[in-house]
Amino acid sequence: MIKFLLLLTFTTLVRTEEAPPNSVFLNMFEDKFKIPESTVDTESLTLFDCADATVYDTEKVLAQIDEESEYLCAFIAFQVNKVEGEGIPNYADEAEATKRYPFFKKCVDDVKGYNAETDLTQFEVNFFCDMSEEEKKPYSSHTGGKDSFGVGSGYDGGASETDAAAETKTSYMIVTAALAITLNLVHAL
């Protein structure tokens, strides 16, 4: 009943184009996101505005993220807009969000860097962005030695974590670029 009343309040506020207070938003979406420990005072954010995927979902918007409050807002939007069954499920608590927040920030910076390097394709934040390198390994198709190719082919059993990460990023970039080129060719036909 309380959630229904909160939803009714939320709907009313949206119609009047006023964002609900953070406390209302937190109560409504407490199961969808957790706020990590951060240097940003969350009272300075309007959490309602941070829930929209448009905070991080385009190359142009990502390129503008450079302040801690913008990273935090994008991280909240990332959590609220997760697709059920993809990647890491909703976080259990603030401690887990705090653990995953640096992975997300690094991913945003990596995506911004990849987009700055090429105009051939567009890279985006995806469900890998809150995972550790260890958690990404099951998504790798690498089966052989160092010279074999495949998505994630930089993984060598952890023998050289730094080289593996660099090669994995390169492999993902090559596969993503090839897919983007293929889709553009099909679309042109």
Side-chain angles (χ1 to χ4, degrees):
M1 180 67 173
I2 291 174
K3 287 208 179 204
F4 173 74
L5 292 174
L6 289 172
L7 184 58
L8 184 60
T9 302
F10 174 71
T11 305
T12 304
L13 290 169
V14 169
R15 278 195 215 126
T16 62
E17 297 184 20
E18 291 180 37
N22 284 349
S23 60
V24 171
F25 187 80
L26 282 167
N27 286 332
M28 288 178 58
F29 293 99
E30 65 187 346
D31 59 330
K32 296 290 274 178
F33 77 98
K34 303 294 185 248
I35 298 176
E37 290 180 18
S38 171
T39 58
V40 174
D41 176 18
T42 54
E43 290 303 314
S44 68
L45 297 175
T46 303
L47 296 179
F48 176 76
D49 294 340
C50 293
D52 192 350
T54 60
V55 171
Y56 69 87
D57 72 347
T58 67
E59 180 178 355
K60 183 178 177 182
V61 173
L62 273 179
Q64 296 173 355
I65 295 175
D66 60 359
E67 294 182 17
E68 187 67 22
S69 61
E70 295 166 334
Y71 281 101
L72 182 58
C73 194
F75 186 59
I76 291 168
F78 174 77
Q79 292 178 71
V80 170
N81 293 287
K82 281 186 170 205
V83 176
E84 191 171 331
E86 283 187 9
I88 304 294
N90 294 336
Y91 310 145
D93 53 28
E94 180 185 309
E96 184 175 6
T98 300
K99 170 187 160 190
R100 296 192 179 285
Y101 184 50
F103 300 144
F104 178 80
K105 287 174 56 178
K106 181 180 180 322
C107 181
V108 167
D109 289 341
D110 288 346
V111 169
K112 287 173 18 180
Y114 298 148
N115 284 330
E117 291 174 6
T118 182
D119 291 328
L120 297 176
T121 190
Q122 178 180 331
F123 296 90
E124 299 177 341
V125 169
N126 61 34
F127 70 90
F128 289 107
C129 284
D130 62 347
M131 293 182 184
S132 68
E133 292 301 318
E134 189 68 30
E135 290 167 325
K136 293 175 188 175
K137 287 180 185 176
Y139 295 92
S140 170
S141 64
H142 178 67
T143 59
K146 185 174 171 111
D147 294 329
S148 66
F149 179 80
V151 175
S153 65
Y155 176 61
D156 60 359
S160 58
E161 184 102 11
T162 304
D163 291 339
E167 289 182 37
T168 299
K169 288 177 188 171
T170 302
S171 297
Y172 283 124
M173 285 177 53
I174 291 169
V175 170
T176 302
L179 179 59
I181 291 168
T182 304
L183 291 174
N184 285 334
L185 290 174
V186 169
H187 182 64
L189 297 175

